[in-house]
């Protein structure tokens, strides 16, 4: 999806796929693509009907080795160093018609349907990450001593732990409900608005917890060898990729009913995608 000039606002996508009978000619570039270096196959959002706006976008499957498909460098990030994040370039790439994924000009609907799952997965990582950090930190403050007693004996420290434990417990309940909604074969599937709520809330919680847990580790929290330091930088992206916190709030605010009732599935709007 993401291009140098189109992140939150997918209507800014410039990559085009021109119809040439039995194939498309693909031109453009993408950036910040997770696993873009390693991937043998990438799904590219491209404009197939330039005047169609959100409804002029399609998904094309592009394969390693197709002439004109190049990868840039592995981008240097502040965290998640073990995962590659790449730029992709397409110059007159000949993509067979059968590599169209889903409906012609249907990318918007396909993305809206499937981004809910991606957002849920990010929310799950958010709450799991926060819980793990809390566990590590609870152990740490029981062992580390200051002024002759463990940090955990200080009321401020206990309150910090108590607040984080409460927020994690409340968040997990909502994320679990979203998982159940997503997994229910008889239901309507995960409501995209609930997915947006889970995504922004759980990842912002993860960010807050990482910051507070780092503080509770003192100077050791700033040392790369401590897991809390790595979690602080690795987790920072969570409120950005998969749709930023601000975009999640836009989706929630614009939904036809912005209350937290999960069913029936709310009407999707193409305004301000994603
Ligand atoms: C490590 C990493 C991995 C990624 N993986 C992928 C991937 O695999 N595939 C992919 O397609 N993309 C990927 N992305 C891209 C990611 O989804 C985008 O960076 C993200 O959607 C934000 O887009 P942007 O960077 O262009 O920021 P912008 O859209 O320029 O936003 C900048 C700021 O403005 C705010 N903003 C923008 N619009 C509004 C609005 N309407 N209201 C309020 N605030 C607004 C944003 O919330 C943000 O705070 C990845 C990014 C990173 C860093």
């Amino acid at each position: 999806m993401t291009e140098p000039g189109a992140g939150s606002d997918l209507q800014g996508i410039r990559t085009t796929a021109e119809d040439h009978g039995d194939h498309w000619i693909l031109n453009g570039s993408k950036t910040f693509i997770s696993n873009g270096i390693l991937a043998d196959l990438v799904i590219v959002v491209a404009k197939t009907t330039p005047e169609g706006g959100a409804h002029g976008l399609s998904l094309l499957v592009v394969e390693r080795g197709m002439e004109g498909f190049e990868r840039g460098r592995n981008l240097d990030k502040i965290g998640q160093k073990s995962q590659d994040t790449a730029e992709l370039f397409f110059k007159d790439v000949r993509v067979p018609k059968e590599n169209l994924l889903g409906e012609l000009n249907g990318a918007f609907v396909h993305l809206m349907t499937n981004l809910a799952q991606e957002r849920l997965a990010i929310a799950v990582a958010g709450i799991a990450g926060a819980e793990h950090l809390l566990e590590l930190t609870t152990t740490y403050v029981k062992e580390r001593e200051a002024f002759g007693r463990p940090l955990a004996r200080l009321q401020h420290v206990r309150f910090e732990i108590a607040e984080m434990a409460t927020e994690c417990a409340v968040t997990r309940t909502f994320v679990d409900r979203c998982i159940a909604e997503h997994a229910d074969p008889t239901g309507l599937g995960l409501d995209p608005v609930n997915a947006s709520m889970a995504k922004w809330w759980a990842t912002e919680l993860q960010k807050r917890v990482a910051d507070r847990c780092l503080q509770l580790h003192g100077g050791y929290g700033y040392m790369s060898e401590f897991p809390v330091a790595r979690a602080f930088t690795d987790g920072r992206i969570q409120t950005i990729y998969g749709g930023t916190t601000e975009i999640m709030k836009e989706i929630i605010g614009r939904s036809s009913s912005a209350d937290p009732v999960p069913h029936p599935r709310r009407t999707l709007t193409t305004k301000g995608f994603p």
Side-chain angles (χ1 to χ4, degrees):
M1 288 178 282
T2 306
E3 298 185 0
S8 300
D9 181 10
L10 283 196
Q11 301 206 38
I13 280 184
R14 298 263 176 279
T15 298
T16 56
E18 237 177 65
D19 191 337
H20 281 243
D22 65 343
H23 64 274
W24 307 97
I25 293 291
L26 183 67
N27 276 293
S29 65
K30 299 286 173 185
T31 192
F32 300 152
I33 304 305
S34 299
N35 306 314
I37 303 275
L38 285 175
D40 289 325
L41 185 147
V42 294
I43 300 168
V44 179
V45 183
K47 271 186 177 179
T48 37
T49 305
E51 64 282 6
H55 296 291
L57 299 168
S58 302
L59 302 177
L60 298 187
V61 177
V62 179
E63 298 164 46
R64 182 185 288 279
M66 283 183 169
E67 204 174 326
F69 172 29
E70 302 288 341
R71 292 147 216 260
R73 64 201 169 94
N74 185 1
L75 299 170
D76 187 16
K77 308 190 289 295
I78 61 168
Q80 299 204 351
K81 304 249 181 202
S82 54
Q83 184 189 46
D84 81 68
T85 305
E87 296 168 303
L88 307 178
F89 302 100
F90 310 99
K91 190 165 185 315
D92 294 329
V93 183
R94 194 186 156 104
V95 183
K97 275 285 169 72
E98 61 262 30
N99 284 29
L100 172 74
L101 186 66
E103 300 294 321
L104 179 64
N105 296 325
F108 173 79
V109 173
H110 296 317
L111 291 173
M112 280 309 282
T113 310
N114 292 294
L115 279 173
Q117 177 175 309
E118 185 189 12
R119 287 171 182 155
L120 176 61
I122 295 171
V124 169
I127 180 61
E131 287 173 346
H132 179 60
L133 274 175
L134 186 57
E135 206 178 297
L136 285 178
T137 306
T138 306
T139 305
Y140 184 81
V141 296
K142 283 181 186 163
E143 288 168 358
R144 174 79 178 166
E145 293 198 357
F147 300 97
R149 54 188 180 154
L151 292 173
R153 298 278 299 277
L154 301 168
Q155 189 190 50
H156 167 76
V157 172
R158 288 202 305 273
F159 279 16
E160 285 285 286
I161 299 286
E163 285 177 22
M164 290 189 281
T166 307
E167 284 191 277
C168 282
V170 172
T171 302
R172 176 171 271 269
T173 306
F174 183 65
V175 173
D176 281 351
R177 192 179 91 182
C178 290
I179 294 170
E181 201 176 291
H182 183 57
D184 180 4
T186 61
L188 292 165
L190 176 59
D191 180 345
V193 176
N194 281 352
S196 298
M197 289 179 182
K199 200 269 174 185
W200 88 259
W201 182 264
T203 58
E204 290 290 342
L205 173 69
Q206 179 186 11
K207 192 168 82 178
R208 282 196 305 278
V209 167
D211 191 46
R212 293 171 88 175
C213 287
L214 191 152
Q215 185 74 16
L216 287 171
H217 277 73
Y220 295 95
Y222 200 64
M223 297 298 119
S224 301
E225 67 199 80
F226 275 70
V228 69
R230 181 169 174 184
F232 181 79
T233 48
D234 280 353
R236 186 59 187 84
I237 186 58
Q238 285 268 94
T239 61
I240 297 171
Y241 61 18
T244 64
T245 291
E246 294 73 27
I247 294 299
M248 295 305 96
K249 290 179 183 174
E250 276 295 317
I251 291 171
I252 298 159
R254 288 180 190 194
S255 65
S256 52
S257 67
D259 61 41
V261 180
H263 290 296
R265 181 181 267 182
R266 286 168 262 231
T267 318
L268 298 177
T269 167
T270 58
K271 277 192 186 158
F273 177 78

